[in-house]
Amino acid sequence: MPKKVLIIEDEEILSKLLKNKLQDEGYEAEVALDGQEGLAKAKSFKPDLILLDIIMPKVNGFEVLEKIKVDSELNKIPIIIVSNSGQPVELERAQKLGAVDWLVKTEFDPEEVIDKVIRQIGKV
Amino acid sequence: MPSSLRYKLLVFLIGFVLVAVLAQVAAGVYVFRNQLIAKENDKIKNYAEFSANSFLDAYTKYYLNDFENFQTASKKLLATMPVVESVKMVDIKGNILFDTKDVSRKDFRTLSGSDKDVLDVITQSKVKTINQGELVIKLVYPIIEELGFHKYTLIYYISYGPVMDQVVSSTIKTFSFIIPAMILLFILAVIFIFRILGPISELDKGVKKINSGNLDYKLRIEGGDEIAQIALGFNKMAQDYKYAMIKSQRVGLLEGEVKARQKELEDQFKDLQLKSEEIENFKKALLNLSEDATNSRDLAISERDKTLAIINGFADGVVVFDKDDKVSLVNPQFEIFFELKKEAILEKKLSQLTQEPALNFLSQIFPKGVESFYRKEVPIRESLILEVSSIYIKKGEEIGAKLVSFHDITREKMVERTKSEFVSIAAHQLRTPLSAIKWIFQMMRDGDWGKVTKEQEEYLNKGFISTERLIRVVNDLLNVSRIEEGRFTQKMEKIQLEDIAKSVFEQHSSLAETKKLKFVFHKPEKVLPLISLDKEQIGIALENLVENAMNYTPEGGLVEMFLKFNSSAKEIECSVRDSGIGIPQEQQSRIFTKFYRSSNALRRETSGSGLGLFVTKNIIEAHGGRIWFDSIEGQGTTFYFTLPANS
């Protein structure tokens, strides 16, 4: 059974790249393009890990974190924040809401994203 | 007429003595009486306090079974209180229990309902004094037993009448001694007057005689007093006058004397003329002086008016304090800024001004009175940001006045904010697609989507590096806008600076290799102490310095980094040295300015944003450190910065 990763990221190219990369590494990956869709897919897809963007339309990353935190079905899933700004204030808030790790889009390349994923749920 | 003067004095003296005596008697009686009443008033409460329990004792012990003894006891008590006529005792319902005025034994009789004072005391348990006439007082005194029970009330009837009679009679007795003394004094005065006025009327007579030509008249006044002396002098004068008259009749003898006197007078006149000339000159000089003074005063007034006109028409708000921080001048723009009338400000001290809500901020910028400073930014309200400067106007060494100006910088600030917001939004919007492009280049180059040729890989790598550089510029822009908006806050943690420096160095080593640079990291001689810093920001600062050194050093050059701990200054010093193009001498002062790039740097490398050093300087200074550099054009540059290592 391959490990499943849900990517909640509104930038289409980025999310597609991530999905490709993860699939290449042998993970099963799904993309949600906003927070609302992300929450729905988290329930149906039942991922082992979520990569979560912060600034998104409809429901933003913080709101997704808040909702997952109080959902007994989902709150065990580790979440890695994919931040755009890397502002300390933002990351601190995400950490308080239960995010296990974070990466800043402009500073990390796809390889490093994979590293972080492996660190959380292991290789496939 | 001397006789009439004599009589007038006499009548006045009699009247005066009589009035004085009467007034003395009346005032004496009045004062004495009032003093006595006041004294007794003070005493009556003491009487009641001291006697109340004795009355109660006498009542409970003897009243019902030994009335004789009760009477003796109560009489004895009354005798100790001369002004108390009688005492009544009532119970809480107002029933009279005894009355010392009533000698016969009386059984319970209800108090007449009209005695409200007594009932008041019974209900409130308070001592009350009631004046029932000027000399008659009723004192109602509750007996408060232990634990606050109030069962009995005593009513003291007090009259000062008999005491007063005594006062008046004793006063009159006192004055009966004074009156004969007064009469004796009066007689002595009459004798005295006659003795003085007698000789004076003699003098008057003599003067009249001499006036009428009788120079041989002699005044005869006995005794050795002043008037007798005057009489003697008078007699001598009359004699001298007589001899002078005889002398002046011998004119011939006098002519010589007259001539000599005339000469003397002429000399004096000449002398006077000289003096008056001098005075005239002095007057002229004075006039000139006052004219000069008038001119300079007029000049001063016109200068002052000019200055006032400038201050009043000034676009900046101005307020002038005197040396004691009291407002001496306020211009209209100041009134407009703070929506206050100058009447509400003038002559007020700084401490009073700060009580005005609109001027409350003054206590923050002048916590210890008005001090001089240059350009302090003060947001007053949403639509008003002022730049405050304060200068001392000195008179020689002393401070004469303090001028505080308020320059409106709202517009500049708004423009700055809008610009900063624009940069921030634009940069954010750029980051996401740039990340995507960078990732695509990288994944393609790394063969994620199939093998690429050597040539393709080279171009993909160039694309990747360019995108990275672009991301750096965008990041710099974002940091600048954060610095300017005041959002560049630190997340401090205790960290080993060497670790950060080393990782920054290692990240750049592959680039150094491609540029064929000699790239050296010098380990510090001793282990550096941990210091608190923002890891991310110090990382940015180090990256900027290292990248600058690499970008502006030609192939085959040297870039090296040093770290050391200065234990006396308690700071860590970091330096990045290169053997690059250097900074031209005349441009060195502007190197930390935002968007500034030196001319030789522009020629060499066109992609820099001119933001790196600005950001770096802000980061270092926000950490409490200093940053500086040495540079010689064509030989190289060394940038230094320090970070405090306090604890």
Side-chain angles (χ1 to χ4, degrees), chain A residues 21 84 87 106 108-110, chain B residues 431-432 438-439 442 448:
Chain A
K21 188 81 191 166
N84 200 349
Q87 288 260 76
T106 50
F108 284 84
D109 55 42
Chain B
R431 274 162 72 106
T432 308
K438 181 180 145 187
W439 288 21
Q442 193 183 15
D448 276 47

Side-chain angles (χ1 to χ4, degrees), chain A residues 9-11 13-14 17-18 20-21 24 55 82-89 91-92 95 103-111 113, chain B residues 428-429 431-440 442-443 445-446 448-449 464 468 471 475 478 482 487-491 534 536-537:
Chain A
E9 158 70 69
D10 66 324
E11 168 67 39
I13 304 169
L14 266 187
L17 281 170
L18 274 173
N20 264 331
K21 188 81 191 166
D24 287 352
I55 302 159
V82 186
S83 160
N84 200 349
S85 71
Q87 288 260 76
V89 203
L91 299 173
E92 226 164 82
Q95 246 165 351
L103 40 92
V104 179
K105 287 179 201 170
T106 50
E107 288 167 15
F108 284 84
D109 55 42
E111 289 296 342
V113 176
Chain B
H428 261 294
Q429 293 302 318
R431 274 162 72 106
T432 308
L434 278 173
S435 307
I437 296 167
K438 181 180 145 187
W439 288 21
I440 290 170
Q442 193 183 15
M443 287 171 83
R445 178 193 69 184
D446 293 351
D448 276 47
W449 301 303
F464 173 76
E468 276 221 303
I471 289 171
N475 283 345
L478 260 175
R482 276 186 213 153
R487 291 193 291 114
F488 206 52
T489 47
Q490 268 107 29
K491 198 181 149 200
D534 181 309
E536 196 197 333
Q537 289 188 11

Side-chain angles (χ1 to χ4, degrees), chain B residues 543-560:
Chain B
E543 265 171 42
N544 282 333
L545 294 180
V546 169
E547 278 168 28
N548 275 350
M550 292 169 75
N551 286 342
Y552 301 118
T553 302
E555 276 192 8
L558 171 75
V559 171
E560 52 189 344

